[in-house]
Amino acid sequence: MKKILIGVILTLAAVLIFRSCSEEKEKKSILKENSMLIQEQINNVSKLIVTEGHFAEVYNYKDSQQLFGPLITADKKALVVVNAEVTVAYDLSLIKFDIDEETKTLRIISIPEPEIKINPDFEYYDVTSDYLNQFNAEDYNKIKRNVNASLLKKIEASTLRSNAQNRLLSELSKFLVLTNSMGWTLTYGDRDIQNFEELKLLE
């Protein structure tokens, strides 16, 4: 009877140990699968969030040079009409993140800065110049630099950048939904992100 009792106890102990090991293995397997799923979702997110805009500008260019002092002035001028396609993009492949399986945390380390690209189309009208002050390559380069600087100011004053930020938040909200549904925590820097309102503070 004693041997049977010892046998039963040993059998129960073996079953409990086996079940405990199986549950631990299953938990690790689920944790690994969740980590791989998060990694896959981040890799599959849109690589670029692009907002496009169209800007037009009329630019008057004038350059005067004094020859032999103020006695003689040589002028050149041009009327330039610029139509520009502008894009604001975030390259989400550059997001730096860390996945901590032990604490079930997806940590966003850094978000890339927006990339602003200006593709202007220049049309020159009423280009005139004196014989002693001709148009050259530097004049055209100067016009392009001035026009690009002017367009950048218009872009900053427009809703183009904010629209791109909204698109960025829309993509990042996918991470929030994913981590919340899996019981994970989304953090940025040293701050836990619990809802969309807190996500908006990443701007």
Side-chain angles (χ1 to χ4, degrees):
M1 185 69 180
K2 198 172 184 180
K3 290 182 179 180
I4 295 174
L5 185 60
I6 292 172
V8 170
I9 292 172
L10 290 174
T11 302
L12 286 173
V15 170
L16 289 173
I17 292 172
F18 176 77
R19 184 174 295 176
S20 176
C21 290
S22 297
E23 288 178 355
E24 186 67 26
K25 187 176 180 181
E26 185 178 354
K27 286 180 181 178
K28 287 183 177 179
S29 177
I30 291 173
L31 191 61
K32 192 69 178 176
E33 288 177 5
N34 287 346
S35 298
M36 291 176 65
L37 176 60
I38 290 174
Q39 176 83 44
E40 183 180 354
Q41 289 298 319
I42 292 174
N43 291 336
N44 287 340
V45 78
S46 301
K47 286 267 180 106
L48 286 175
I49 304 173
V50 179
T51 300
E52 294 182 341
H54 178 82
F55 291 85
E57 173 130 355
V58 177
Y59 178 73
N60 282 295
Y61 177 75
K62 185 176 181 180
D63 177 80
S64 297
Q65 290 186 5
Q66 291 183 345
L67 306 172
F68 311 109
L71 299 176
I72 301 176
T73 302
D75 297 324
K76 55 185 170 185
K77 63 180 182 178
L79 178 66
V80 186
V81 177
V82 184
N83 289 288
E85 296 294 334
V86 179
T87 62
V88 181
Y90 289 89
D91 187 349
L92 296 187
S93 66
L94 299 179
I95 286 181
K96 293 182 180 179
F97 64 92
D98 177 63
I99 296 176
D100 190 335
E101 294 183 2
E102 186 174 343
T103 60
K104 295 184 177 180
T105 301
L106 168 60
R107 184 174 296 106
I108 298 176
I109 300 172
S110 65
I111 299 171
E113 291 294 319
E115 301 172 359
I116 300 176
K117 293 184 179 180
I118 303 173
N119 297 303
D121 179 32
F122 293 86
E123 294 185 16
Y124 292 86
Y125 298 91
D126 192 25
V127 178
T128 59
S129 61
D130 292 336
Y131 178 76
L132 297 177
N133 190 12
Q134 297 286 322
F135 264 89
N136 55 41
E138 179 55 32
D139 290 305
Y140 292 105
N141 290 333
K142 187 177 181 180
I143 289 171
K144 289 180 180 180
R145 288 194 300 268
N146 291 344
V147 167
N148 282 340
S150 177
L151 287 173
L152 279 174
K153 289 182 180 179
K154 285 188 174 182
I155 292 167
E156 292 299 330
S158 73
T159 59
L160 205 61
R161 185 187 283 268
S162 62
N163 289 343
Q165 289 176 338
N166 289 335
R167 294 284 301 277
L168 172 66
L169 290 176
S170 176
E171 293 298 322
L172 293 179
S173 66
K174 296 177 182 178
F175 300 161
L176 179 62
V177 172
L178 181 65
T179 52
N180 284 349
S181 66
M182 296 169 59
W184 283 52
T185 301
L186 176 66
T187 69
Y188 180 67
D190 57 354
R191 186 169 68 244
D192 289 352
I193 308 300
Q194 302 292 339
N195 52 55
F196 186 75
E197 291 303 315
E198 291 180 351
L199 191 62
K200 291 172 70 174
L201 297 177
L202 299 186
E203 295 181 65

